[in-house]
Amino acid sequence: MTERARVEVDFVAPRHLAGGGDPAWITVPLHRAAGWSYGNDALMPRVILSGPGQKALLRLEPVTEGQWWTLHHAPDAGRPAWYATFGGRTPVEAIAGFTDALTHPHTAPATSEPYVPLLAQGWRPSRDRDGLSSPDGFAHIEHFTSADSWFITAAIGEDPQGQLWQARFAGTTPLPLIAAFTRALADPTPLARDLLGLSPLVQSRAQVTVREIPAAQRAFALERRIQKLSSAASPPDAAPRDPSPRRRTR
């Protein structure tokens, strides 16, 4: 591959409409840059990764209905156990914001308030329910205090075919981690995607642009991501501390 070789790539915005992407964006850095171990079962279409401290367990299992990604974390340093789950079409870049902040706390945003990154990118209070909605109205975040859990949902209309993905966080999940997810989700930078993975319904509402970029930039993006994370050592399974009181919205 020459330095001058270039390829055309489709970029999709906003991120909540971009689709899932390549799961390796999450799993490979966890293994190579954060020391998570994995188990193989050639007869099962799933990936299981465990953190070096054996406190965190990530399971990726494609299912017809439900959440593809499930991360469980055991009690630690005075904090009760917590979990986070993500649907299969949740952008891997947003999930990676969450897992990066867990394994490399220096990548977490300065704020521990999940709403702050969204408000900065034009999300506003919803008209007919609590929480915030994206500028296009296709994504919504809400903190349910009755169940002490966070839900972030992307959907086009009320039709089940328009349901895109959902992220769920236990109320005990460290807020800086949720804020890292919302920061990555709200990032206005378009995501490189294969349009064949997006339904016509989504394509008609997303902003799709075609750019010509160096082939090496596309081919080695994951390797550069791993190198960047590997350059900063972090304690195993170290989540950033949550210095602020929890905000209750409902």
Side-chain angles (χ1 to χ4, degrees):
M1 184 182 299
T2 66
E3 288 293 328
R4 295 184 178 180
R6 302 182 72 82
V7 294
E8 285 190 348
V9 177
D10 295 312
F11 288 86
V12 180
R15 291 189 166 195
H16 51 266
L17 297 182
D22 186 357
W25 196 253
I26 300 164
T27 58
V28 176
L30 281 175
H31 175 59
R32 291 180 50 191
W36 287 43
S37 58
Y38 64 90
N40 271 335
D41 185 343
L43 300 180
M44 298 295 291
R46 66 187 178 197
V47 176
I48 298 177
L49 288 159
S50 56
Q54 300 301 307
K55 290 183 176 295
L57 181 71
L58 177 68
R59 183 187 185 102
L60 167 60
E61 185 170 11
V63 291
T64 303
E65 296 181 2
Q67 304 292 83
W68 283 31
W69 301 86
T70 301
L71 194 154
H72 286 284
H73 200 288
D76 182 39
R79 179 183 294 276
W82 55 267
Y83 69 84
T85 71
F86 308 94
R89 287 179 286 185
T90 310
V92 293
E93 292 82 359
I95 303 175
F98 184 91
T99 57
D100 287 355
L102 171 64
T103 58
H104 297 79
H106 71 281
T107 67
T111 179
S112 62
E113 170 52 68
Y115 283 177
V116 169
L118 300 172
L119 290 168
Q121 294 300 326
W123 289 49
R124 292 294 179 261
S126 300
R127 294 181 179 179
D128 56 351
R129 51 183 172 175
D130 293 335
L132 302 178
S133 292
S134 60
D136 61 9
F138 297 139
H140 181 78
I141 180 174
E142 189 167 356
H143 181 202
F144 292 90
T145 55
S146 58
D148 197 16
S149 58
W150 294 78
F151 285 76
I152 304 174
T153 303
I156 298 175
E158 300 298 328
D159 192 304
Q161 302 224 352
Q163 301 299 306
L164 303 180
W165 57 265
Q166 187 174 81
R168 307 167 188 167
F169 305 98
T172 50
T173 305
L175 289 183
L177 300 184
I178 304 177
F181 177 89
T182 59
R183 179 181 64 177
L185 180 66
D187 188 333
T189 307
L191 300 176
R193 287 294 188 268
D194 181 353
L195 293 187
L196 294 177
L198 298 180
S199 70
L201 181 66
V202 173
Q203 289 189 43
S204 66
R205 289 159 173 79
Q207 303 166 25
V208 181
T209 57
V210 181
R211 299 180 193 167
E212 193 176 78
I213 65 173
Q217 176 181 329
R218 175 74 162 161
F220 298 113
L222 177 57
E223 192 63 33
R224 292 193 181 101
R225 164 169 157 71
I226 294 168
Q227 292 175 357
K228 183 177 180 180
L229 288 172
S230 299
S231 65
S234 297
D237 298 356
R241 292 191 175 277
D242 180 2
S244 64
R246 295 181 178 278
R247 176 178 176 179
R248 303 298 184 184
T249 62
R250 180 173 174 177

